[in-house]
Amino acid sequence: MPNKLLAPSGPGRPKDLIKRQAILEAAKSLFLSQGYDGSSMDAIAAEAGVSKLTVYNHFTDKETLFSAAVKAKCQEQLPELFFELPPGVPIETVLLTIGRGFHGLINSHESVEMHRLMVALASQNPKLSQMFYDAGPQRLLNEMERLLSKADLAGQLRIDDASRAADQFFCLIKGGANFRLLIGCTSPPQDETAEQHVRGAVDMFVRAYRPD
C-alpha cells in the first residue's frame, strides 16, 4: 500500500531522513514487484508519498537509488558495527553475530526475490548487476576482510589471505540450502535448524584458521 502519509518528524528524526527512508522502502518494494525497468521515479515518488523532485534531491537517478536500496537492505541485517572486534571479545562471538545476520539476510523474502531478479537481468543489464554486487555482496566482503585482518593482527586467527577467507566464510554460511531456496525447492531454514547451521559453519571456519 502506498505510503501516502509520512510520519511526523520528531526529536532526533529530521523530516528529510524520514523522507529518505520512505523513498528507500518504496524503491525496494517496487523494484521487487515491478522489476527495475518497470519501476519509474514517478512511481517510487508516489509510493513514498513525496514529490518526484524530493526523490531526485535525495538520489540523483534511478541507478543511484537502486544501489542505495540494496545497501540499505544489507545494513538492516548487517550494520557496520557487527564487523568491529572489541578488545577482549572472542572472534567466535563476532563471527556468530555476523553469521546469523548474513544467514537471515540471504534467506529473507526480499533478498531471494532480488537475487532472482538480478539473475534474470544479468544478460540484459550487466552494469546493473555490477551495481548490485558492489552495493551488497562486495561491501560485506570488504567489511569481513577488514575484520579478519584485525583478528589476525590480534592473534585470534592466523590468516594469510583475508580476502579469500572472507569469501570462504560467507560461502559456508550460505551452504546448499540457500541454493535450493533460490530455485524454489525448499523453504527458508528456521529457528534451531538455522542456528545449528550457523554454529557449525563458524566452528569449521575458526578451526581452519585457529593459530597453532
Side-chain angles (χ1 to χ4, degrees):
M1 178 180 296
N3 182 17
K4 299 299 184 183
L5 295 176
L6 293 170
S9 58
R13 297 195 65 192
K15 191 175 182 180
D16 281 349
L17 293 180
I18 297 175
K19 288 183 177 181
R20 179 183 176 86
Q21 185 60 33
I23 294 167
L24 286 172
E25 291 299 324
K28 285 188 289 183
S29 175
L30 288 179
F31 285 140
L32 291 177
S33 62
Q34 305 298 324
Y36 181 80
D37 290 334
S39 303
S40 67
M41 295 292 262
D42 283 318
I44 292 170
E47 180 77 8
V50 300
S51 69
K52 184 177 178 180
L53 178 60
T54 298
V55 176
Y56 278 107
N57 283 340
H58 284 276
F59 306 96
T60 55
D61 51 42
K62 189 164 73 168
E63 290 181 345
T64 301
L65 177 52
F66 177 79
S67 179
V70 173
K71 184 177 180 180
K73 177 59 181 175
C74 291
Q75 289 180 328
E76 287 175 12
Q77 297 277 155
L78 289 163
E80 293 179 1
L81 182 64
F82 280 16
F83 295 90
E84 297 296 327
L85 184 59
V89 176
I91 187 62
E92 293 91 336
T93 301
V94 178
L95 293 179
L96 278 171
T97 299
I98 295 172
R100 291 175 185 129
F102 182 68
H103 193 260
L105 171 66
I106 61 173
N107 292 303
S108 68
H109 174 73
E110 285 183 333
S111 291
V112 169
E113 291 303 313
M114 180 60 73
H115 188 109
R116 291 169 177 166
L117 173 64
M118 297 315 302
V119 170
L121 292 175
S123 60
Q124 305 171 34
N125 196 335
K127 179 181 178 181
L128 187 66
S129 297
Q130 188 64 53
M131 290 179 62
F132 168 79
Y133 185 79
D134 291 343
Q138 187 63 63
R139 184 189 74 84
L140 296 181
L141 283 168
N142 291 344
E143 294 286 354
M144 178 58 77
E145 182 178 347
R146 284 191 284 270
L147 169 65
L148 295 178
S149 295
K150 292 177 184 177
D152 178 71
L153 289 173
Q156 292 205 45
L157 298 175
R158 178 168 294 174
I159 297 177
D160 296 326
D161 188 336
S163 177
R164 180 176 60 190
D167 187 66
Q168 291 169 339
F169 177 81
F170 287 127
C171 286
L172 283 172
I173 298 296
K174 287 186 72 172
N178 182 251
F179 178 73
R180 293 193 294 274
L181 176 62
L182 290 173
I183 61 174
C185 290
T186 188
S187 56
Q190 299 292 329
D191 303 329
E192 188 60 29
T193 300
E195 179 67 13
Q196 288 180 357
H197 170 74
V198 171
R199 285 186 173 275
V202 170
D203 179 66
M204 179 180 292
F205 183 85
V206 171
R207 282 191 285 115
Y209 285 105
R210 190 182 299 280
D212 296 334

